[in-house]
Amino acid sequence: MGTTEPPDARSCCGPLTHDVADEQLAADVRLLSGAANDTRYELLLLLSAADGAVCACELPEAVGLSQSAVSHALSKLFDAGLVTREKDGRWRYYDLTPAAEALLETLHTDD
């Protein structure tokens, strides 16, 4: 077995930095937190599979939850910037934002 010399302390123990601004860091965390729930993630997948915007009334049965629970999840997704929301009379239609599409595409690169 050979011995490995330890790295020079001056080359390995320097301060680490990144080039992401605080505002962008907060936006990224908000986006990732918005998707980090099984119900919200499943809703993103359903919206991704749909052909255009989906009425909120179609989603409770698809995920097996109450309208109230789905509305709460959709609000979180909207606040996170992952879905758009359009109101037409008493109906609300949801669709993915480009950020959500990019996130799902990144997660499913092997599909």
Side-chain angles (χ1 to χ4, degrees):
M1 245 194 227
T3 59
T4 305
E5 292 292 320
D8 181 356
R10 290 172 294 184
S11 68
C12 76
C13 298
L16 296 176
T17 62
H18 60 77
D19 61 353
V20 178
D22 289 344
E23 298 82 19
Q24 186 61 53
L25 186 66
D28 291 350
V29 169
R30 187 173 48 253
L31 183 135
L32 292 170
S33 295
N37 167 282
D38 57 345
T39 299
R40 294 190 301 263
Y41 186 66
E42 185 174 8
L43 289 169
L44 289 176
L45 292 174
L46 288 168
L47 293 173
S48 175
D51 187 23
V54 175
C55 182
C57 68
E58 298 176 60
L59 297 168
E61 186 176 338
V63 294
L65 295 172
S66 69
Q67 179 68 42
S68 175
V70 169
S71 291
H72 182 73
L74 288 169
S75 289
K76 292 247 184 209
L77 290 170
F78 180 77
D79 292 344
L82 291 165
V83 298
T84 61
R85 177 173 57 201
E86 288 190 38
K87 192 170 183 181
D88 183 13
R90 60 182 257 196
W91 306 110
R92 289 191 179 197
Y93 293 86
Y94 292 85
D95 204 353
L96 296 181
T97 63
E101 291 172 355
L103 177 63
L104 291 175
E105 184 177 317
T106 299
L107 292 171
H108 296 240
T109 57
D110 294 339
D111 291 349

